[in-house]
Amino acid sequence: MQSSEFSGFYKLPIGKRVAEVREFAGLSDEEAKALSAFSSLDQPTADRMIENVVGTMPLPLGIAVNFRINGIDRLVPMAIEEPSVVAAASNAAKVARIKGGFTAKAGEPVMIGQMQVLGLADAEGAAKKVLAAKARLLEIANACDPVLVKFGGGARDVEARVIATAKGKMLIIHLLVDVRDAMGANAVNTMCEALARPVEEISGGRVLLRIISNLADRRLAKASAVFAKEAIGGEEAVDAIVAAYEFAANDPYRAATHNKGVMNGIDAAAIAAGNDWRALEAGAHAYAARSGRYTSLTTYRKNSDGDLEGEIELPMAVGLVGGATKTHPAAKVCVKILGVKTAGELGEILASVGLAQNFAALRALATEGIQRGHMSLHARNIAVMAGASGELIDRVAARMVEEKKVRVDRAKEILDELRKK
Ligand code: MEV
C-alpha cells in the first residue's frame, strides 16, 4: 500500500502534485488530464446535468494528504474556494496518524421516505391500518426497483407517526429503504410515489407529499481519532481544545460555527466526489438539533494518557451510483483517487475528514487563533494583486505577515523594494 503521507506536498509545482496523485491512485493519462484540466466539464456534459446551462463555475480542487482511515491510506480530493481548509485537514490527518489514524464506521445505508396523509378523522386508527398492511406496501415498493433488490437493497420497513399541526392531525408514514451504494433520493421518491394510492386506500386519507427525508438518522457514519498531546502543544492545548468543544456543546451560536467548520471538510470532499452536499448539510444540522437543542456534531475528551480523543457522528447520505459521480469527469477521477468501492467507505472518509477539519479549527482557535494561518494565504493573494509573481509572491507575503500589515499598498512598496535589490 502506498503511503498518503507527504511532507511539503504544497511546495511541489502543480504538475508534480498531479504526478504523485496519479501514481498513488494508478490514474490513466486521460484520468490525470481530467483531474488537472482547469475545466474538465465540457459543454455537452454540463448541458445534460442541469437546465439552462450557460457555462461552468469551477472551484479549486486540492488534495488533502496524510489520511489513514481504518488502516488504509487515502488521498482526499477537496473542491472548495476557501483558503486553509485543505492544509488544515492535511495537518490534522498528520497528527491523527501518530496514534494510528482514524477509525470510522458507516451504518446500514437506510434512507427514510415520507408520505404525508391528510383528511383523517382518526389518524391513530389509520396508522394501525397502514402498519397492518406493511407486507403488501413493502412488496409494492420493491416492485419499483428490482435492480436495487437484486443488489441486496430494497424497502425494509414501514413506520407511522401522528403529528399535531395547525391544520389538525396528520399521519406521517415512513418507508425505510436500504439504498445500498446510492444516495437514494431517486429510489426512495419513486417508491413513495408508487405507495401513495395504496396508502390512501388503506388509510382512507389523502396523500400529499411523497419525498425523501434528509434527516438520514438511520444512515449514520462515525469516526474517531486520538490526537497525541505532544503533537498539539501538550496537555494545556488538550485542555483548551476540550474547553472549546464544551463551548460548542452548550451554546448554539458557537455550535453553528463549529459545525460549519466540520462541513468545510465534508462538503469539499463531497463536492469533489460529485455528491449532493446540500443533502449532507441538511442532515448534519438537523441531526445536531435532534435533542431539541442545537449542539456540536463532534465530541472531545482528554483520555487517561492526557491525549485528546475526538469523535464525530452524523447522517451520511452519500452515493457512488448515479448522479454526478458517474457523469462528471473530475468527480469520477476523484472517486478513483479516494479508492472507495462502497458508499459506506465514502461515508467513513467524509466523517473522518469532518472530524479532522473540526480538530484543526479548534486547535488553531484554542491556541494561536486562526488569523495567522489565514493571513499567510491571504497575504499571498494580496501579493499577487499587487503585481508579484514567481518567488516574489512568497517573499512579499512573508514580509507583510511579519509586519502584520497585509494590504495591497504595503505589498506594492515591498515589491518595489525587492525589485530594486
Ligand atoms: C471557518 O470557515 C471555520 C471556522 O470558523 C470553524 C470554527 O470556528 O470552528 C474556523
Side-chain angles (χ1 to χ4, degrees):
M1 181 179 72
Q2 221 189 312
S3 172
S4 65
E5 192 169 20
F6 286 94
S7 63
F9 191 78
Y10 68 98
K11 288 189 198 146
L12 299 176
I14 291 182
K16 275 293 265 168
R17 288 182 207 146
V18 174
E20 294 284 4
V21 174
R22 185 180 173 162
E23 197 186 321
F24 181 93
L27 303 183
S28 66
D29 281 355
E30 208 182 317
E31 286 168 335
K33 230 166 96 192
L35 179 70
S36 54
F38 275 75
S39 181
S40 61
L41 191 56
D42 63 31
Q43 207 183 80
T45 311
D47 198 27
R48 272 194 305 272
M49 287 174 79
I50 64 162
E51 310 74 38
N52 301 356
V53 166
V54 294
T56 57
M57 174 73 197
L59 285 172
L61 178 67
I63 300 285
V65 295
N66 303 328
F67 274 87
R68 176 171 287 166
I69 302 166
N70 295 336
I72 301 174
D73 275 36
R74 309 273 188 183
L75 291 182
V76 183
M78 298 175 86
I80 188 162
E81 85 299 344
E82 185 174 330
S84 300
V85 171
V86 179
S90 305
N91 287 335
K94 191 172 183 177
V95 177
R97 270 183 100 83
I98 300 169
K99 296 278 178 184
F102 297 85
T103 304
K105 178 94 190 102
E108 289 296 299
V110 173
M111 296 297 292
I112 300 168
Q114 297 194 292
M115 283 160 278
Q116 178 195 19
V117 193
L118 308 176
L120 296 164
D122 173 14
E124 284 80 7
K128 283 195 190 120
K129 285 188 203 160
V130 171
L131 291 178
K134 190 183 281 187
R136 189 182 141 213
L137 294 173
L138 292 178
E139 206 177 300
I140 298 169
N142 281 328
C144 296
D145 204 333
V147 177
L148 180 61
V149 174
K150 194 177 109 199
F151 283 105
R156 292 276 184 264
D157 206 355
V158 176
E159 294 174 350
R161 294 158 52 231
V162 174
I163 59 169
T165 79
K167 295 252 176 227
K169 283 187 179 175
M170 292 178 190
L171 171 61
I172 309 300
I173 304 296
H174 281 188
L175 178 70
L176 271 48
V177 186
D178 180 330
V179 297
R180 296 284 91 194
D181 290 320
M183 183 272 179
N186 273 329
V188 170
N189 294 342
T190 305
M191 288 180 181
C192 288
E193 293 199 354
L195 286 181
R197 272 313 279 280
V199 165
E200 286 179 341
E201 279 162 24
I202 297 162
S203 66
R206 182 168 60 87
V207 172
L208 190 61
L209 301 197
R210 298 139 291 164
I211 187 75
I212 197 163
S213 168
N214 286 124
L215 176 49
D217 61 1
R218 307 299 172 94
R219 193 183 192 179
L220 300 174
K222 276 187 189 186
S224 60
V226 176
F227 301 98
K229 59 177 183 285
E230 299 79 18
I232 55 181
E235 284 203 38
E236 209 180 305
V238 172
D239 290 334
I241 294 172
V242 173
Y245 151 67
E246 285 292 339
F247 181 11
N250 292 288
D251 176 21
Y253 288 93
R254 171 58 203 151
T257 322
H258 177 102
N259 292 340
K260 189 270 182 183
V262 168
M263 299 313 288
N264 272 346
I266 293 182
D267 287 347
I271 292 169
N275 268 257
D276 180 348
W277 76 97
R278 287 89 54 214
L280 293 171
E281 282 279 341
H285 295 291
Y287 191 67
R290 67 194 177 282
S291 70
R293 190 173 58 89
Y294 185 85
T295 185
S296 165
L297 287 165
T298 55
T299 55
Y300 290 89
R301 65 180 196 99
K302 183 160 84 170
N303 69 14
S304 51
D305 298 329
D307 295 323
L308 180 72
E309 279 185 19
E311 202 175 302
I312 187 168
E313 180 184 73
L314 76 171
M316 197 47 80
V318 289
L320 290 176
V321 182
T325 35
K326 286 281 182 282
T327 52
H328 195 297
K332 284 194 278 187
V333 181
C334 289
V335 169
K336 180 160 181 187
I337 293 169
L338 286 166
V340 290
K341 295 281 175 282
T342 65
E345 270 181 288
L346 176 60
E348 288 166 356
I349 293 177
L350 295 190
S352 304
V353 173
L355 178 60
Q357 207 70 59
N358 179 239
F359 160 75
L362 292 191
R363 180 189 177 190
L365 287 166
T367 54
E368 62 177 13
I370 58 158
Q371 280 313 83
R372 203 179 69 91
H374 268 294
M375 272 305 159
S376 323
L377 276 158
H378 179 58
R380 297 185 83 236
N381 287 332
I382 298 287
V384 173
M385 276 167 68
S389 60
E391 50 112 34
L392 281 178
I393 299 172
D394 282 336
R395 290 177 64 191
V396 172
R399 273 276 293 280
M400 287 192 293
V401 171
E402 195 185 297
E403 294 173 1
K404 294 197 172 64
K405 282 187 197 150
V406 184
R407 298 190 318 254
V408 178
D409 59 326
R410 182 62 194 136
K412 282 189 177 146
E413 285 167 13
I414 299 171
L415 196 57
D416 284 347
E417 218 178 279
L418 291 174
R419 279 185 178 141
K420 271 182 208 138
K421 277 188 189 164

